[in-house]
PDB file of all heavy atoms in Angstrom:
ATOM      1  N   GLY A 280      -4.041  31.979   4.700  1.00 98.00           N
ATOM      2  CA  GLY A 280      -3.021  32.890   4.165  1.00 98.00           C
ATOM      3  C   GLY A 280      -1.599  32.475   4.560  1.00 98.00           C
ATOM      4  O   GLY A 280      -0.741  33.332   4.755  1.00 98.00           O
ATOM      5  N   LEU A 281      -1.377  31.160   4.696  1.00 98.00           N
ATOM      6  CA  LEU A 281      -0.047  30.662   5.048  1.00 98.00           C
ATOM      7  C   LEU A 281       0.759  30.351   3.790  1.00 98.00           C
ATOM      8  O   LEU A 281       0.195  29.901   2.768  1.00 98.00           O
ATOM      9  CB  LEU A 281      -0.172  29.392   5.874  1.00 98.00           C
ATOM     10  CG  LEU A 281      -0.737  29.526   7.280  1.00 98.00           C
ATOM     11  CD1 LEU A 281      -1.072  28.138   7.855  1.00 98.00           C
ATOM     12  CD2 LEU A 281       0.257  30.247   8.193  1.00 98.00           C
ATOM     13  N   ALA A 282       2.076  30.548   3.860  1.00 98.00           N
ATOM     14  CA  ALA A 282       2.968  30.193   2.752  1.00 98.00           C
ATOM     15  C   ALA A 282       3.182  28.663   2.783  1.00 98.00           C
ATOM     16  O   ALA A 282       3.075  28.056   3.867  1.00 98.00           O
ATOM     17  CB  ALA A 282       4.298  30.902   2.931  1.00 98.00           C
ATOM     18  N   PRO A 283       3.488  28.048   1.641  1.00 97.00           N
ATOM     19  CA  PRO A 283       3.683  26.580   1.624  1.00 97.00           C
ATOM     20  C   PRO A 283       4.696  26.115   2.643  1.00 97.00           C
ATOM     21  O   PRO A 283       4.522  25.056   3.266  1.00 97.00           O
ATOM     22  CB  PRO A 283       4.155  26.308   0.185  1.00 97.00           C
ATOM     23  CG  PRO A 283       3.619  27.452  -0.607  1.00 97.00           C
ATOM     24  CD  PRO A 283       3.584  28.638   0.293  1.00 97.00           C
ATOM     25  N   GLU A 284       5.778  26.897   2.865  1.00 97.00           N
ATOM     26  CA  GLU A 284       6.814  26.429   3.797  1.00 97.00           C
ATOM     27  C   GLU A 284       6.393  26.508   5.265  1.00 97.00           C
ATOM     28  O   GLU A 284       7.068  26.031   6.153  1.00 97.00           O
ATOM     29  CB  GLU A 284       8.142  27.192   3.569  1.00 97.00           C
ATOM     30  CG  GLU A 284       8.055  28.701   3.716  1.00 97.00           C
ATOM     31  CD  GLU A 284       7.662  29.414   2.420  1.00 97.00           C
ATOM     32  OE1 GLU A 284       7.097  28.773   1.514  1.00 97.00           O
ATOM     33  OE2 GLU A 284       7.895  30.628   2.343  1.00 97.00           O
ATOM     34  N   GLN A 285       5.223  27.090   5.519  1.00 98.00           N
ATOM     35  CA  GLN A 285       4.706  27.167   6.903  1.00 98.00           C
ATOM     36  C   GLN A 285       3.872  25.915   7.258  1.00 98.00           C
ATOM     37  O   GLN A 285       3.352  25.814   8.352  1.00 98.00           O
ATOM     38  CB  GLN A 285       3.825  28.406   7.096  1.00 98.00           C
ATOM     39  CG  GLN A 285       4.591  29.714   7.261  1.00 98.00           C
ATOM     40  CD  GLN A 285       3.658  30.892   7.330  1.00 98.00           C
ATOM     41  OE1 GLN A 285       3.016  31.262   6.355  1.00 98.00           O
ATOM     42  NE2 GLN A 285       3.543  31.510   8.506  1.00 98.00           N
ATOM     43  N   VAL A 286       3.710  24.992   6.302  1.00 98.00           N
ATOM     44  CA  VAL A 286       2.873  23.809   6.552  1.00 98.00           C
ATOM     45  C   VAL A 286       3.665  22.554   6.234  1.00 98.00           C
ATOM     46  O   VAL A 286       4.334  22.492   5.192  1.00 98.00           O
ATOM     47  CB  VAL A 286       1.609  23.849   5.667  1.00 98.00           C
ATOM     48  CG1 VAL A 286       0.715  22.661   5.946  1.00 98.00           C
ATOM     49  CG2 VAL A 286       0.840  25.148   5.877  1.00 98.00           C
ATOM     50  N   PHE A 287       3.602  21.576   7.134  1.00 98.00           N
ATOM     51  CA  PHE A 287       4.356  20.312   6.886  1.00 98.00           C
ATOM     52  C   PHE A 287       3.389  19.214   6.445  1.00 98.00           C
ATOM     53  O   PHE A 287       2.327  19.014   7.022  1.00 98.00           O
ATOM     54  CB  PHE A 287       5.078  19.878   8.157  1.00 98.00           C
ATOM     55  CG  PHE A 287       5.998  18.724   7.910  1.00 98.00           C
ATOM     56  CD1 PHE A 287       7.270  18.951   7.404  1.00 98.00           C
ATOM     57  CD2 PHE A 287       5.613  17.420   8.135  1.00 98.00           C
ATOM     58  CE1 PHE A 287       8.147  17.889   7.109  1.00 98.00           C
ATOM     59  CE2 PHE A 287       6.475  16.350   7.863  1.00 98.00           C
ATOM     60  CZ  PHE A 287       7.758  16.618   7.371  1.00 98.00           C
ATOM     61  N   THR A 288       3.783  18.515   5.375  1.00 98.00           N
ATOM     62  CA  THR A 288       2.993  17.343   4.956  1.00 98.00           C
ATOM     63  C   THR A 288       3.919  16.178   4.647  1.00 98.00           C
ATOM     64  O   THR A 288       5.039  16.368   4.164  1.00 98.00           O
ATOM     65  CB  THR A 288       2.171  17.635   3.675  1.00 98.00           C
ATOM     66  OG1 THR A 288       3.057  17.988   2.601  1.00 98.00           O
ATOM     67  CG2 THR A 288       1.185  18.769   3.872  1.00 98.00           C
ATOM     68  N   ASN A 289       3.512  14.990   4.960  1.00 98.00           N
ATOM     69  CA  ASN A 289       4.225  13.783   4.531  1.00 98.00           C
ATOM     70  C   ASN A 289       3.230  12.680   4.144  1.00 98.00           C
ATOM     71  O   ASN A 289       3.600  11.537   4.026  1.00 98.00           O
ATOM     72  CB  ASN A 289       5.196  13.295   5.617  1.00 98.00           C
ATOM     73  CG  ASN A 289       4.541  12.891   6.908  1.00 98.00           C
ATOM     74  OD1 ASN A 289       3.300  12.991   7.025  1.00 98.00           O
ATOM     75  ND2 ASN A 289       5.310  12.484   7.882  1.00 98.00           N
ATOM     76  N   LEU A 290       1.966  13.072   3.924  1.00 98.00           N
ATOM     77  CA  LEU A 290       0.939  12.058   3.654  1.00 98.00           C
ATOM     78  C   LEU A 290       1.172  11.354   2.310  1.00 98.00           C
ATOM     79  O   LEU A 290       0.617  10.280   2.094  1.00 98.00           O
ATOM     80  CB  LEU A 290      -0.467  12.674   3.709  1.00 98.00           C
ATOM     81  CG  LEU A 290      -0.841  13.811   2.761  1.00 98.00           C
ATOM     82  CD1 LEU A 290      -1.271  13.291   1.412  1.00 98.00           C
ATOM     83  CD2 LEU A 290      -1.961  14.630   3.394  1.00 98.00           C
ATOM     84  N   GLU A 291       1.965  11.951   1.407  1.00 98.00           N
ATOM     85  CA  GLU A 291       2.238  11.279   0.149  1.00 98.00           C
ATOM     86  C   GLU A 291       2.906   9.934   0.357  1.00 98.00           C
ATOM     87  O   GLU A 291       2.747   9.011  -0.441  1.00 98.00           O
ATOM     88  CB  GLU A 291       3.038  12.160  -0.838  1.00 98.00           C
ATOM     89  CG  GLU A 291       4.445  12.574  -0.338  1.00 98.00           C
ATOM     90  CD  GLU A 291       4.456  13.802   0.561  1.00 98.00           C
ATOM     91  OE1 GLU A 291       3.381  14.196   1.073  1.00 98.00           O
ATOM     92  OE2 GLU A 291       5.531  14.365   0.789  1.00 98.00           O
TER      93      GLU A 291
END
Side-chain angles (χ1 to χ4, degrees):
L281 291 168
E284 58 272 19
Q285 283 175 291
V286 182
F287 189 82
T288 61
N289 63 0
L290 61 83
E291 61 276 16

